[in-house]
Amino acid sequence: MTRPLSSGENPREESDVLEYQQLFIGGEWVDPAGKATIDVISPHSEELVGRTPEGTTADMDRAVAAARATFDDGSWSLAPPADRIAIVSKFAEIYAARMMELADVITTEMGSPISFSQLAQTPAPWLMLNSFIGVASEFPWEEKRAGTLAPEVLVRHEAVGVVAAIVPWNVPQFVTMAKLAPALLSGCSIVIKPAPETPLDALFVCALLEEAGVPKGVVSVVPAGREVGEHLVRHPGVDKVAFTGSTAAGRKIAAICGEQLKRVSLELGGKSAAIILDDADLGATVEGLKFASLMNNGQACVAQTRILASKKRYDEVVDALSTMVGGLKVGDPADATTEIGPLVAERQQERVEKYIALGQEEGARVVVGGNGRPEGLEKGWYVRPTVFAGVDNSMRIAREEIFGPVIAVIPYDDERDAVRIANDSEYGLAGSVWTADMGKGMDIARRVRAGTFGVNQYTMDFIAPFGGYKASGIGREFGREGLEEYLELKSIVAPPGA
Ligand code: NAD
């Protein structure tokens, strides 16, 4: 593994283990309060590949205190937006130069195929960062309005305060950037808690922030588990929580923030549907679903894991999908030709295997894949990419997020029925429709209740809001709306010319 930029003693790389001995608190590398460490185990080789300190509540207290002090002194939060944009632009430049190394770090720590990491794990966050810089450059930070009672009102957009950013392991840089970029540009201070599975990429970025000249106190990164994460959420010094993760954890965090009247944004789970209409070009659709349904080894919140096919073309769709899934190359994520790597952890492998067994118990039919090790892979947390046919939308494999390379093909009667099934879900994160008729495609796009939707593709765009309906979340990331999540509004009435 390539050695990241170091700062003092931090990090140290011996043999193939990337080791950080300190935490990044208040913009400085500091010794952790406790002695516990996080071991990062390769999902492919099951060997130790990294180690970092495990943050404690005392580390979080220290990080929040640093963030609070910097925020309250106003040197960053009240600086002209152009000053922050200049520093964040420098960070973007440095990030660009290091993002392929960072892609390697992510593949090593959580097993996403390197082809995916070199596209979505770090270049996409870099594009997102640039998009946010563009939005901030055009943003009306202060607006004068002719008043109704007073002659004039000044409407100011001000930083929301100290942000607690809680990040999952599946797309760690992507999720971090969706919070870090708008927080920095708006003048917030931020304490980032990466997931214990992926602390290495998070600490790697700290050196880049230092090099860009982000002032001390503005950013802290403290890898830790749930309890310490919850301590951060509850901390009275935190003004806003930005959480991405499971719906179960999101509900808990929302309840705490509700009680404390803290600002909160939540990006949660999904069980998105891809609707294949009868006139769709099946070859192109299946190729599109290779990414939309199975990206990142199926560990994507937006994965289109319910495939809706009409009864007329059902068998044909199942055959085409099974041929595609059965032909996927499963193996070492560091190999550029790998399409499906291992799952992040053994418990995730067990979870996916349980769902595969459950689907069979529920009466669905495994057409390709199923439980058992993929051929030639004795070690690693691999599962076989699996297609289920004969699935009813009431089955648990159609309702619950599996978070692995498992797709369920569900039959529908007509387009109305397809929309009904797509909407018959606790979630509402994403979706797609595949058709030769753009009019029909757009009509269905309007009728499905989901935060992002694709016609003959699935992608999100960094200039447009991203987020979930229903149990998929609260609030939006990306674009102007994503920046506004980090801003409070203040109206000032003063004599004209003040
Ligand atoms: P998770 O909810 O178990 O953990 C996510 C993060 O939250 C981790 O850092 C974890 O340590 C922390 N955490 C968990 N409980 C907490 C609590 N009570 N207080 C504070 N912190 C807590 O989720 P995961 O298994 O790491 O990630 C997978 C989930 O994330 C999936 O459900 C997926 O759909 C979702 N996800 C959503 C999006 C989105 O944008 N909507 C993006 C990526 C992942």
Side-chain angles (χ1 to χ4, degrees), residues 57-328:
T57 54
D59 296 309
M60 280 304 177
D61 290 346
R62 191 169 169 187
V64 174
R68 189 81 260 161
T70 301
F71 184 81
D72 290 343
D73 83 16
S75 55
W76 178 252
S77 53
L78 296 176
D83 293 3
R84 293 194 297 268
I85 290 169
I87 290 177
V88 177
S89 302
K90 180 83 188 145
F91 171 54
E93 228 179 274
I94 296 166
Y95 196 95
R98 306 297 301 276
M99 66 189 176
M100 289 304 157
E101 279 170 67
L102 193 49
D104 279 350
V105 171
I106 295 177
T107 286
T108 303
E109 64 185 345
M110 59 69 65
S112 68
I114 191 66
S115 58
F116 181 78
S117 293
Q118 291 181 349
L119 178 77
Q121 294 282 24
T122 56
W126 176 72
L127 285 173
M128 189 199 299
L129 176 59
N130 283 298
S131 175
F132 269 120
I133 292 169
V135 167
S137 305
E138 308 269 290
F139 194 75
W141 297 96
E142 284 193 351
E143 288 171 65
K144 279 188 181 160
R145 297 187 190 170
T148 49
L149 299 175
E152 194 175 84
V153 185
L154 182 72
V155 178
R156 272 176 58 76
H157 296 264
E158 297 186 345
V160 72
V162 172
V163 174
I166 300 194
V167 175
W169 47 263
N170 65 329
V171 275
Q173 276 299 301
F174 195 94
V175 170
T176 298
M177 198 62 86
K179 298 163 177 46
L180 176 64
L184 288 177
L185 288 162
S186 59
C188 296
S189 301
I190 182 167
V191 178
I192 300 169
K193 191 207 81 65
E197 294 83 355
T198 49
L200 301 175
D201 64 282
L203 288 169
F204 184 109
V205 168
C206 298
L208 315 188
L209 290 162
E210 266 186 312
E211 194 186 339
V214 173
K216 292 203 186 312
V218 175
V219 181
S220 295
V221 175
V222 183
R226 299 184 166 192
E227 291 74 24
V228 174
E230 200 166 311
H231 178 80
L232 175 64
V233 168
R234 285 186 193 280
H235 202 294
V238 167
D239 299 293
K240 173 196 162 74
V241 178
F243 173 77
T244 299
S246 61
T247 293
R251 283 187 211 283
K252 200 159 185 206
I253 287 168
I256 297 167
C257 293
E259 193 168 335
Q260 296 186 339
L261 288 180
K262 234 170 224 177
R263 275 73 183 128
V264 63
S265 47
L266 304 169
E267 297 291 345
L268 309 176
K271 191 74 190 178
S272 300
I275 301 174
I276 305 179
L277 298 189
D278 279 341
D279 63 0
D281 169 346
L282 209 46
T285 301
V286 164
E287 197 48 38
L289 292 177
K290 194 193 264 196
F291 184 77
S293 303
L294 296 159
M295 65 174 116
N296 204 19
N297 312 332
Q299 299 167 129
C301 54
V302 293
Q304 327 266 296
T305 48
R306 290 185 297 151
I307 312 295
L308 276 44
S310 83
K311 285 183 179 158
K312 250 191 266 170
R313 285 189 86 184
Y314 187 78
D315 291 342
E316 209 188 325
V317 169
V318 169
D319 282 352
L321 277 169
S322 304
T323 305
M324 180 272 282
V325 171
L328 290 170

